[in-house]
Amino acid sequence: MLDIKRIRENTDAVRLGLTRKGADLTLLDRVLAADEKRRTALTEVERLRNERNRASKEIGALRKKGEDTAAAQEAVRELGDRIQALDRDAREAESARDEALLHLPNVPHESVPDGQDASANATVRSWGEPRAFDFEPKHHMALGEALGIFDFPRGAKMSGAGFPLLVGNGARLQRALIRFMLDLHTREHGYTEICPPVLCHAGSMTGTGQLPKMAEDMYGVRDEDLWLIPTAEVPVTNYFREEIVARPLPVYLTAHSLCFRREAGAAGKDTRGFIRVHQFDKVEMVKFVAPDTSYAELESLVGNAETVLQRLGLAYRVVALCAGDLSFAAAKCYDIELWAPGQQDWLEVSSCSNFEDFQARRATIRLRDANGKTAFVHTLNGSGVALPRLMVAILENGQQADGSVVLPEAIVPYMDGTAVLEKAG
């Protein structure tokens, strides 16, 4: 949530930022109008209360003189009625303002490039070279089905399209990758592992910005105030919900979780195979940091995700998202994309975002500074990384002419020494 003081004092800058993001500026106008109505009402309440206090003193003086106070008392009662009405107006205006604020996105950081969509995103750097093949590389589905590690038809019978079923070495490979990433982040990058719930209530979803904006893209539990998480960002960020963080900052947390997404806005796009699914696994990294360090922390967060891919020997590129392609809550974001030869395309495998104090205001996560004053922390999160597209890249980049797949060396110890996936029998 944006700071109302920032909106009041820097209205033009906020309006410009929201324009860059392609936001609905009528929301900003609603916030400003409701805030002005609230402040005007409260100012008048204060004036009337002072007037009522003076009138009450005058009634006391009249009584001492034995004079009639009926008219004065009626005037005081009328003042009380006006105060109550204005208090009600102020509360209603505050509610309208805060409701509009919940729908107002974060403002892009000044370093974010301009642009309306992904076509304006800027490649910051690349690592590794896409593999050259002396044969026609296959799609991961053809590879996985031949290896017997996918069974999408049975998954669809259980749950419908978009719910993948991994079998044998497919399940082993996913589990190995999860262990590898969690070990890397906890042993080398300073994260503490947690195992969070995969159901969160609406308050937690609102705290990180998934609600109310993205309700149609998520799965809710019927007749209960619970939602299946679209990312572990939700429960992990809410770890300090409504708290003053007592431990020294920064705090780094990581978690593996199942994630669930309807992908309502992406019907018909990338629906074949493992690229866009409704249920998937992901390792998430979340940071709680002091405001003056958050952009340096964003760069190191991206580096943590890059290390995963470098250890696996996968070619990737880091892309700075333009203002119009940023998520609702992000002030700045980098995507990391893997090269997938079977798609002849780059696949996003990680998004690393700085939300500044946007989420912390919504979830009331604060710090206490050296002078004892409280302030909102800055929150960051990044995929470290998402499993489906990582699996796609490993299969398609490691494929051999005979249909076998050579696994990255870093993952072999987690596969109990299995270095090559081969057709059974």
Side-chain angles (χ1 to χ4, degrees):
M1 180 182 296
L2 291 175
D3 182 3
I4 188 61
K5 184 178 179 182
R6 176 185 181 185
I7 293 175
R8 288 190 203 121
E9 296 178 356
N10 301 281
T11 303
D12 290 345
V14 170
R15 189 179 298 277
L16 176 61
L18 293 174
T19 300
R20 293 179 65 212
K21 206 167 189 177
D24 180 0
L25 295 181
T26 62
L27 285 169
L28 178 61
D29 294 334
R30 282 168 51 192
V31 168
L32 289 166
D35 186 56
E36 180 61 26
K37 183 177 180 180
R38 172 184 174 273
R39 298 176 78 195
T40 299
L42 291 177
T43 299
E44 183 64 6
V45 164
E46 186 65 22
R47 187 188 71 80
L48 292 176
R49 282 177 176 158
N50 290 334
E51 185 178 334
R52 184 175 61 179
N53 289 340
R54 287 194 300 269
S56 296
K57 291 179 181 178
E58 290 173 2
I59 289 172
L62 290 171
R63 283 174 175 166
K64 286 181 180 179
K65 295 176 182 179
E67 296 181 17
D68 183 14
T69 62
Q73 287 179 306
E74 178 60 25
V76 168
R77 279 193 293 272
E78 289 177 359
L79 285 170
D81 291 342
R82 289 169 63 189
I83 289 169
Q84 285 185 348
L86 285 166
D87 273 335
R88 184 169 59 252
D89 289 347
R91 289 194 299 272
E92 289 174 355
E94 182 175 25
S95 179
R97 181 198 69 184
D98 291 348
E99 174 63 22
L101 276 172
L102 284 176
H103 290 82
L104 201 63
N106 204 353
V107 172
H109 188 260
E110 60 186 11
S111 64
V112 171
D114 287 330
Q116 297 181 348
D117 55 39
S119 64
N121 293 344
T123 299
V124 175
R125 59 182 170 274
S126 299
W127 187 91
E129 291 292 333
R131 178 185 165 192
F133 288 82
D134 56 7
F135 60 92
E136 185 69 25
K138 295 179 180 178
H139 188 279
H140 67 278
M141 281 299 292
L143 292 165
E145 288 170 352
L147 292 170
I149 63 174
F150 293 155
D151 195 335
F152 279 59
R154 283 194 171 92
K157 282 198 297 184
M158 297 172 188
S159 307
F163 291 90
L165 175 63
L166 301 181
V167 180
N169 279 331
R172 287 181 65 212
L173 177 58
Q174 177 161 280
R175 175 162 49 90
L177 288 166
I178 292 166
R179 290 174 55 212
F180 161 71
M181 289 186 283
L182 289 174
D183 283 352
L184 177 61
H185 295 321
T186 55
R187 294 173 182 175
E188 298 187 33
H189 297 156
Y191 291 80
T192 298
E193 181 182 354
I194 68 171
C195 184
V198 295
L199 286 165
C200 283
H201 55 58
S204 293
M205 291 289 185
T206 302
T208 47
Q210 274 70 29
L211 287 179
K213 174 70 173 177
M214 291 169 280
E216 68 173 8
D217 289 331
M218 299 192 301
Y219 291 96
V221 179
R222 184 178 297 176
D223 300 326
E224 292 192 45
D225 178 28
L226 288 171
W227 299 78
L228 286 165
I229 61 171
T231 164
E233 168 198 345
V234 178
V236 180
T237 302
N238 278 278
Y239 184 85
F240 289 116
R241 177 178 170 79
E242 298 175 351
E243 292 184 28
I244 298 174
V245 182
R247 67 182 75 174
L249 295 178
V251 174
Y252 300 165
L253 300 178
T254 187
H256 156 252
S257 78
L258 286 168
C259 304
F260 303 87
R261 299 182 187 179
R262 290 184 184 276
E263 299 282 9
K269 181 181 179 184
D270 298 330
T271 54
R272 180 172 176 257
F274 215 23
I275 295 175
R276 189 176 294 276
V277 290
H278 297 313
Q279 175 186 310
F280 60 96
D281 290 74
K282 181 155 66 85
V283 171
E284 194 75 4
M285 303 174 290
V286 172
K287 292 185 173 188
F288 303 86
V289 307
D292 61 347
T293 67
S294 66
Y295 279 95
E297 290 283 3
L298 175 60
E299 299 300 324
S300 71
L301 179 68
V302 176
N304 295 156
E306 288 184 78
T307 300
V308 172
L309 307 181
Q310 291 173 9
R311 296 284 176 89
L312 296 174
L314 297 170
Y316 67 84
R317 65 184 184 184
V318 178
V319 177
L321 270 58
C322 71
D325 201 31
L326 287 176
S327 70
F328 175 80
K332 185 171 184 176
C333 178
Y334 294 102
D335 278 357
I336 305 177
E337 300 174 343
L338 286 173
W339 177 249
Q343 323 297 310
Q344 285 296 295
D345 201 2
W346 295 93
L347 303 179
E348 176 203 326
V349 73
S350 176
S351 286
C352 297
S353 302
N354 185 357
F355 304 104
E356 297 184 351
D357 63 3
F358 189 84
Q359 292 181 326
R361 286 182 181 278
R362 296 166 76 103
T364 321
I365 306 171
R366 294 171 293 166
L367 58 86
R368 195 181 300 279
D369 65 20
N371 298 317
K373 294 182 179 180
T374 59
F376 290 102
V377 303
H378 280 197
T379 61
L380 302 90
N381 85 273
S383 312
V385 297
L387 267 298
R389 294 175 184 181
L390 178 61
M391 295 267 284
V392 168
I394 287 173
L395 292 174
E396 294 187 0
N397 282 287
Q399 64 180 294
Q400 306 300 302
D402 63 359
S404 64
V405 173
V406 176
L407 297 177
E409 289 185 15
I411 207 69
V412 172
Y414 291 89
M415 290 288 290
D416 296 324
T418 300
V420 181
L421 300 183
E422 299 177 301
K423 297 178 184 179

Short mmCIF file of all heavy atoms in Angstrom, two decimals, residues 51-102:
data_model
loop_
_atom_site.label_atom_id
_atom_site.label_comp_id
_atom_site.label_asym_id
_atom_site.label_seq_id
_atom_site.Cartn_x
_atom_site.Cartn_y
_atom_site.Cartn_z
N GLU A 51 -15.68 24.67 20.08
CA GLU A 51 -16.86 25.52 20.28
C GLU A 51 -17.77 24.93 21.36
O GLU A 51 -18.31 25.65 22.20
CB GLU A 51 -17.62 25.64 18.96
CG GLU A 51 -18.80 26.60 19.02
CD GLU A 51 -19.50 26.75 17.68
OE1 GLU A 51 -18.83 26.56 16.64
OE2 GLU A 51 -20.70 27.07 17.68
N ARG A 52 -17.93 23.62 21.35
CA ARG A 52 -18.77 22.97 22.37
C ARG A 52 -18.15 23.13 23.75
O ARG A 52 -18.87 23.34 24.74
CB ARG A 52 -18.96 21.49 22.04
CG ARG A 52 -19.90 20.76 22.99
CD ARG A 52 -20.15 19.33 22.55
NE ARG A 52 -18.93 18.54 22.52
CZ ARG A 52 -18.89 17.25 22.19
NH1 ARG A 52 -20.00 16.63 21.85
NH2 ARG A 52 -17.75 16.59 22.20
N ASN A 53 -16.85 23.01 23.86
CA ASN A 53 -16.20 23.19 25.15
C ASN A 53 -16.42 24.60 25.70
O ASN A 53 -16.70 24.79 26.90
CB ASN A 53 -14.70 22.91 25.03
CG ASN A 53 -14.40 21.43 24.82
OD1 ASN A 53 -15.23 20.58 25.13
ND2 ASN A 53 -13.24 21.13 24.28
N ARG A 54 -16.30 25.59 24.80
CA ARG A 54 -16.54 26.97 25.24
C ARG A 54 -17.98 27.16 25.68
O ARG A 54 -18.26 27.81 26.72
CB ARG A 54 -16.21 27.94 24.11
CG ARG A 54 -14.72 28.11 23.83
CD ARG A 54 -14.46 29.32 22.94
NE ARG A 54 -15.14 29.20 21.64
CZ ARG A 54 -14.58 28.64 20.57
NH1 ARG A 54 -13.34 28.15 20.65
NH2 ARG A 54 -15.24 28.58 19.44
N ALA A 55 -18.90 26.57 24.90
CA ALA A 55 -20.31 26.70 25.24
C ALA A 55 -20.63 26.02 26.57
O ALA A 55 -21.44 26.52 27.37
CB ALA A 55 -21.17 26.11 24.13
N SER A 56 -20.00 24.88 26.81
CA SER A 56 -20.23 24.17 28.08
C SER A 56 -19.76 25.00 29.27
O SER A 56 -20.40 25.05 30.32
CB SER A 56 -19.52 22.82 28.06
OG SER A 56 -20.05 21.97 27.06
N LYS A 57 -18.63 25.69 29.10
CA LYS A 57 -18.14 26.57 30.17
C LYS A 57 -19.10 27.73 30.40
O LYS A 57 -19.35 28.16 31.54
CB LYS A 57 -16.75 27.09 29.82
CG LYS A 57 -15.66 26.01 29.85
CD LYS A 57 -14.31 26.59 29.47
CE LYS A 57 -13.23 25.51 29.47
NZ LYS A 57 -11.90 26.04 29.05
N GLU A 58 -19.66 28.24 29.32
CA GLU A 58 -20.61 29.35 29.44
C GLU A 58 -21.88 28.90 30.17
O GLU A 58 -22.46 29.66 30.95
CB GLU A 58 -20.96 29.88 28.05
CG GLU A 58 -19.81 30.63 27.39
CD GLU A 58 -20.12 31.00 25.94
OE1 GLU A 58 -21.26 30.71 25.50
OE2 GLU A 58 -19.24 31.58 25.28
N ILE A 59 -22.31 27.66 29.92
CA ILE A 59 -23.48 27.12 30.63
C ILE A 59 -23.21 27.09 32.13
O ILE A 59 -24.04 27.46 32.95
CB ILE A 59 -23.84 25.73 30.10
CG1 ILE A 59 -24.43 25.83 28.69
CG2 ILE A 59 -24.83 25.03 31.03
CD1 ILE A 59 -24.64 24.51 28.00
N GLY A 60 -21.99 26.64 32.49
CA GLY A 60 -21.62 26.62 33.91
C GLY A 60 -21.68 28.02 34.53
O GLY A 60 -22.16 28.19 35.66
N ALA A 61 -21.19 29.01 33.77
CA ALA A 61 -21.20 30.39 34.27
C ALA A 61 -22.62 30.89 34.42
O ALA A 61 -22.97 31.59 35.40
CB ALA A 61 -20.41 31.28 33.33
N LEU A 62 -23.50 30.57 33.46
CA LEU A 62 -24.90 31.00 33.53
C LEU A 62 -25.61 30.39 34.73
O LEU A 62 -26.42 31.03 35.41
CB LEU A 62 -25.63 30.62 32.23
CG LEU A 62 -25.24 31.41 30.98
CD1 LEU A 62 -25.89 30.80 29.73
CD2 LEU A 62 -25.66 32.88 31.11
N ARG A 63 -25.30 29.11 34.98
CA ARG A 63 -25.92 28.44 36.13
C ARG A 63 -25.52 29.10 37.44
O ARG A 63 -26.32 29.23 38.37
CB ARG A 63 -25.55 26.96 36.13
CG ARG A 63 -26.33 26.13 35.11
CD ARG A 63 -25.83 24.72 35.05
NE ARG A 63 -26.66 23.91 34.15
CZ ARG A 63 -26.31 22.72 33.70
NH1 ARG A 63 -25.12 22.20 34.06
NH2 ARG A 63 -27.10 22.05 32.90
N LYS A 64 -24.27 29.50 37.54
CA LYS A 64 -23.81 30.16 38.77
C LYS A 64 -24.56 31.48 38.99
O LYS A 64 -24.80 31.92 40.12
CB LYS A 64 -22.31 30.43 38.69
CG LYS A 64 -21.47 29.18 38.86
CD LYS A 64 -19.98 29.50 38.79
CE LYS A 64 -19.13 28.26 38.96
NZ LYS A 64 -17.69 28.55 38.88
N LYS A 65 -24.93 32.11 37.86
CA LYS A 65 -25.67 33.38 37.97
C LYS A 65 -27.17 33.15 38.13
O LYS A 65 -27.94 34.10 38.29
CB LYS A 65 -25.44 34.23 36.72
CG LYS A 65 -24.00 34.69 36.55
CD LYS A 65 -23.85 35.44 35.23
CE LYS A 65 -22.41 35.88 35.01
NZ LYS A 65 -22.25 36.59 33.72
N GLY A 66 -27.60 31.86 38.05
CA GLY A 66 -29.02 31.54 38.19
C GLY A 66 -29.81 31.83 36.94
O GLY A 66 -31.05 31.93 36.98
N GLU A 67 -29.15 31.95 35.79
CA GLU A 67 -29.84 32.28 34.56
C GLU A 67 -30.29 31.00 33.82
O GLU A 67 -29.78 29.91 34.06
CB GLU A 67 -28.92 33.10 33.65
CG GLU A 67 -28.56 34.46 34.24
CD GLU A 67 -27.67 35.27 33.31
OE1 GLU A 67 -27.64 34.91 32.11
OE2 GLU A 67 -27.05 36.23 33.78
N ASP A 68 -31.25 31.19 32.92
CA ASP A 68 -31.81 30.08 32.14
C ASP A 68 -30.75 29.57 31.15
O ASP A 68 -30.16 30.35 30.40
CB ASP A 68 -33.05 30.55 31.38
CG ASP A 68 -33.72 29.41 30.61
OD1 ASP A 68 -33.39 28.24 30.89
OD2 ASP A 68 -34.56 29.70 29.74
N THR A 69 -30.52 28.24 31.14
CA THR A 69 -29.50 27.65 30.25
C THR A 69 -30.11 26.76 29.18
O THR A 69 -29.39 26.07 28.45
CB THR A 69 -28.50 26.81 31.08
OG1 THR A 69 -29.21 25.73 31.72
CG2 THR A 69 -27.80 27.67 32.11
N ALA A 70 -31.42 26.74 29.05
CA ALA A 70 -32.09 25.81 28.12
C ALA A 70 -31.61 26.03 26.69
O ALA A 70 -31.28 25.07 25.97
CB ALA A 70 -33.60 25.98 28.20
N ALA A 71 -31.57 27.28 26.23
CA ALA A 71 -31.16 27.56 24.86
C ALA A 71 -29.71 27.17 24.63
O ALA A 71 -29.35 26.60 23.59
CB ALA A 71 -31.37 29.03 24.55
N ALA A 72 -28.87 27.47 25.61
CA ALA A 72 -27.45 27.13 25.48
C ALA A 72 -27.24 25.62 25.45
O ALA A 72 -26.41 25.11 24.69
CB ALA A 72 -26.66 27.75 26.64
N GLN A 73 -28.01 24.90 26.27
CA GLN A 73 -27.90 23.44 26.29
C GLN A 73 -28.36 22.83 24.96
O GLN A 73 -27.78 21.88 24.47
CB GLN A 73 -28.71 22.86 27.45
CG GLN A 73 -28.05 23.10 28.81
CD GLN A 73 -28.89 22.55 29.93
OE1 GLN A 73 -30.08 22.87 30.07
NE2 GLN A 73 -28.29 21.72 30.76
N GLU A 74 -29.43 23.42 24.39
CA GLU A 74 -29.90 22.92 23.10
C GLU A 74 -28.83 23.15 22.02
O GLU A 74 -28.61 22.29 21.15
CB GLU A 74 -31.18 23.65 22.71
CG GLU A 74 -31.74 23.24 21.36
CD GLU A 74 -32.10 21.76 21.27
OE1 GLU A 74 -32.37 21.14 22.33
OE2 GLU A 74 -32.07 21.21 20.15
N ALA A 75 -28.15 24.29 22.08
CA ALA A 75 -27.08 24.58 21.12
C ALA A 75 -25.94 23.58 21.26
O ALA A 75 -25.35 23.13 20.27
CB ALA A 75 -26.58 26.00 21.33
N VAL A 76 -25.61 23.21 22.51
CA VAL A 76 -24.56 22.22 22.76
C VAL A 76 -24.97 20.86 22.21
O VAL A 76 -24.16 20.14 21.61
CB VAL A 76 -24.24 22.13 24.26
CG1 VAL A 76 -23.37 20.90 24.55
CG2 VAL A 76 -23.51 23.39 24.72
N ARG A 77 -26.26 20.50 22.40
CA ARG A 77 -26.74 19.22 21.85
C ARG A 77 -26.65 19.21 20.33
O ARG A 77 -26.27 18.20 19.73
CB ARG A 77 -28.18 18.96 22.30
CG ARG A 77 -28.30 18.39 23.71
CD ARG A 77 -29.68 17.86 23.98
NE ARG A 77 -30.68 18.94 24.01
CZ ARG A 77 -30.98 19.62 25.11
NH1 ARG A 77 -30.39 19.34 26.26
NH2 ARG A 77 -31.90 20.57 25.06
N GLU A 78 -27.00 20.34 19.72
CA GLU A 78 -26.91 20.42 18.25
C GLU A 78 -25.45 20.30 17.79
O GLU A 78 -25.16 19.66 16.77
CB GLU A 78 -27.50 21.75 17.78
CG GLU A 78 -29.02 21.80 17.91
CD GLU A 78 -29.58 23.15 17.49
OE1 GLU A 78 -28.75 24.04 17.11
OE2 GLU A 78 -30.81 23.33 17.53
N LEU A 79 -24.54 20.92 18.54
CA LEU A 79 -23.12 20.76 18.22
C LEU A 79 -22.70 19.31 18.31
O LEU A 79 -21.94 18.80 17.47
CB LEU A 79 -22.27 21.62 19.16
CG LEU A 79 -22.26 23.12 18.90
CD1 LEU A 79 -21.58 23.85 20.05
CD2 LEU A 79 -21.56 23.45 17.58
N GLY A 80 -23.19 18.61 19.34
CA GLY A 80 -22.86 17.19 19.51
C GLY A 80 -23.37 16.35 18.35
O GLY A 80 -22.68 15.44 17.86
N ASP A 81 -24.59 16.67 17.89
CA ASP A 81 -25.15 15.94 16.74
C ASP A 81 -24.32 16.18 15.49
O ASP A 81 -24.06 15.24 14.71
CB ASP A 81 -26.60 16.38 16.49
CG ASP A 81 -27.55 15.91 17.60
OD1 ASP A 81 -27.16 14.99 18.35
OD2 ASP A 81 -28.66 16.48 17.70
N ARG A 82 -23.89 17.43 15.28
CA ARG A 82 -23.08 17.74 14.10
C ARG A 82 -21.72 17.04 14.17
O ARG A 82 -21.20 16.55 13.17
CB ARG A 82 -22.89 19.25 13.99
CG ARG A 82 -24.17 20.00 13.58
CD ARG A 82 -24.01 21.49 13.75
NE ARG A 82 -22.95 22.03 12.86
CZ ARG A 82 -22.51 23.28 12.93
NH1 ARG A 82 -22.98 24.10 13.88
NH2 ARG A 82 -21.58 23.70 12.10
N ILE A 83 -21.15 16.98 15.39
CA ILE A 83 -19.86 16.29 15.58
C ILE A 83 -20.00 14.81 15.26
O ILE A 83 -19.15 14.22 14.57
CB ILE A 83 -19.34 16.51 17.01
CG1 ILE A 83 -18.88 17.96 17.18
CG2 ILE A 83 -18.21 15.53 17.34
CD1 ILE A 83 -18.60 18.34 18.62
N GLN A 84 -21.08 14.20 15.74
CA GLN A 84 -21.30 12.77 15.47
C GLN A 84 -21.44 12.51 13.97
O GLN A 84 -20.88 11.54 13.43
CB GLN A 84 -22.55 12.27 16.20
CG GLN A 84 -22.36 12.09 17.70
CD GLN A 84 -23.59 11.48 18.36
OE1 GLN A 84 -24.66 11.38 17.75
NE2 GLN A 84 -23.44 11.08 19.61
N ALA A 85 -22.19 13.39 13.29
CA ALA A 85 -22.39 13.22 11.85
C ALA A 85 -21.06 13.36 11.10
O ALA A 85 -20.76 12.60 10.17
CB ALA A 85 -23.40 14.23 11.33
N LEU A 86 -20.27 14.35 11.50
CA LEU A 86 -18.97 14.55 10.84
C LEU A 86 -18.00 13.41 11.16
O LEU A 86 -17.21 13.02 10.29
CB LEU A 86 -18.39 15.89 11.28
CG LEU A 86 -19.04 17.13 10.65
CD1 LEU A 86 -18.61 18.39 11.39
CD2 LEU A 86 -18.66 17.23 9.17
N ASP A 87 -18.04 12.89 12.38
CA ASP A 87 -17.21 11.73 12.72
C ASP A 87 -17.57 10.56 11.81
O ASP A 87 -16.69 9.83 11.33
CB ASP A 87 -17.42 11.34 14.18
CG ASP A 87 -16.50 12.08 15.13
OD1 ASP A 87 -15.43 12.52 14.69
OD2 ASP A 87 -16.86 12.23 16.32
N ARG A 88 -18.87 10.38 11.60
CA ARG A 88 -19.32 9.29 10.72
C ARG A 88 -18.84 9.54 9.28
O ARG A 88 -18.36 8.63 8.62
CB ARG A 88 -20.85 9.21 10.76
CG ARG A 88 -21.42 8.05 9.94
CD ARG A 88 -22.91 7.85 10.23
NE ARG A 88 -23.69 9.07 9.93
CZ ARG A 88 -24.23 9.85 10.86
NH1 ARG A 88 -24.08 9.56 12.15
NH2 ARG A 88 -24.92 10.92 10.53
N ASP A 89 -18.94 10.79 8.84
CA ASP A 89 -18.45 11.13 7.50
C ASP A 89 -16.95 10.85 7.37
O ASP A 89 -16.49 10.35 6.34
CB ASP A 89 -18.73 12.60 7.19
CG ASP A 89 -20.20 12.90 6.97
OD1 ASP A 89 -20.98 11.94 6.80
OD2 ASP A 89 -20.56 14.09 6.98
N ALA A 90 -16.20 11.19 8.42
CA ALA A 90 -14.75 10.99 8.40
C ALA A 90 -14.42 9.50 8.33
O ALA A 90 -13.51 9.09 7.58
CB ALA A 90 -14.11 11.63 9.62
N ARG A 91 -15.15 8.67 9.10
CA ARG A 91 -14.90 7.23 9.08
C ARG A 91 -15.24 6.64 7.71
O ARG A 91 -14.50 5.80 7.18
CB ARG A 91 -15.72 6.53 10.17
CG ARG A 91 -15.22 6.80 11.58
CD ARG A 91 -15.85 5.82 12.57
NE ARG A 91 -17.30 5.95 12.61
CZ ARG A 91 -17.97 6.79 13.40
NH1 ARG A 91 -17.30 7.59 14.22
NH2 ARG A 91 -19.29 6.83 13.38
N GLU A 92 -16.36 7.09 7.13
CA GLU A 92 -16.74 6.58 5.81
C GLU A 92 -15.73 7.00 4.75
O GLU A 92 -15.38 6.21 3.86
CB GLU A 92 -18.14 7.09 5.46
CG GLU A 92 -19.25 6.46 6.29
CD GLU A 92 -20.62 7.08 6.02
OE1 GLU A 92 -20.67 8.07 5.26
OE2 GLU A 92 -21.61 6.58 6.57
N ALA A 93 -15.25 8.23 4.84
CA ALA A 93 -14.25 8.71 3.89
C ALA A 93 -12.94 7.94 4.04
O ALA A 93 -12.28 7.60 3.05
CB ALA A 93 -14.01 10.20 4.07
N GLU A 94 -12.56 7.66 5.29
CA GLU A 94 -11.34 6.89 5.53
C GLU A 94 -11.47 5.49 4.96
O GLU A 94 -10.53 4.95 4.35
CB GLU A 94 -11.05 6.83 7.03
CG GLU A 94 -9.77 6.09 7.36
CD GLU A 94 -9.44 6.13 8.85
OE1 GLU A 94 -10.37 6.29 9.66
OE2 GLU A 94 -8.25 6.00 9.19
N SER A 95 -12.64 4.87 5.14
CA SER A 95 -12.88 3.54 4.60
C SER A 95 -12.80 3.54 3.08
O SER A 95 -12.19 2.65 2.47
CB SER A 95 -14.25 3.03 5.07
OG SER A 95 -14.52 1.75 4.53
N ALA A 96 -13.42 4.57 2.46
CA ALA A 96 -13.38 4.68 0.99
C ALA A 96 -11.95 4.91 0.51
O ALA A 96 -11.53 4.34 -0.51
CB ALA A 96 -14.29 5.81 0.53
N ARG A 97 -11.21 5.74 1.23
CA ARG A 97 -9.82 6.00 0.86
C ARG A 97 -8.98 4.73 0.94
O ARG A 97 -8.23 4.40 0.01
CB ARG A 97 -9.23 7.06 1.79
CG ARG A 97 -7.79 7.44 1.49
CD ARG A 97 -7.15 8.15 2.68
NE ARG A 97 -6.93 7.24 3.80
CZ ARG A 97 -6.46 7.62 4.99
NH1 ARG A 97 -6.18 8.89 5.21
NH2 ARG A 97 -6.27 6.73 5.95
N ASP A 98 -9.11 4.00 2.05
CA ASP A 98 -8.31 2.80 2.24
C ASP A 98 -8.69 1.70 1.26
O ASP A 98 -7.84 0.93 0.82
CB ASP A 98 -8.43 2.31 3.68
CG ASP A 98 -7.76 3.27 4.67
OD1 ASP A 98 -7.03 4.16 4.22
OD2 ASP A 98 -8.00 3.11 5.88
N GLU A 99 -9.97 1.62 0.91
CA GLU A 99 -10.40 0.63 -0.08
C GLU A 99 -9.77 0.95 -1.44
O GLU A 99 -9.29 0.06 -2.14
CB GLU A 99 -11.92 0.62 -0.19
CG GLU A 99 -12.48 -0.28 -1.29
CD GLU A 99 -12.18 -1.75 -1.10
OE1 GLU A 99 -11.90 -2.17 0.04
OE2 GLU A 99 -12.22 -2.49 -2.11
N ALA A 100 -9.76 2.22 -1.81
CA ALA A 100 -9.14 2.61 -3.08
C ALA A 100 -7.63 2.36 -3.04
O ALA A 100 -7.03 1.94 -4.04
CB ALA A 100 -9.43 4.07 -3.39
N LEU A 101 -7.02 2.62 -1.89
CA LEU A 101 -5.58 2.39 -1.75
C LEU A 101 -5.23 0.92 -1.98
O LEU A 101 -4.17 0.60 -2.53
CB LEU A 101 -5.10 2.82 -0.37
CG LEU A 101 -4.78 4.30 -0.17
CD1 LEU A 101 -4.53 4.61 1.29
CD2 LEU A 101 -3.58 4.72 -1.01
N LEU A 102 -6.10 0.00 -1.55
CA LEU A 102 -5.84 -1.42 -1.73
C LEU A 102 -5.77 -1.81 -3.21
O LEU A 102 -5.12 -2.80 -3.57
CB LEU A 102 -6.91 -2.26 -1.04
CG LEU A 102 -6.82 -2.38 0.48
CD1 LEU A 102 -8.01 -3.16 1.02
CD2 LEU A 102 -5.52 -3.06 0.91
#
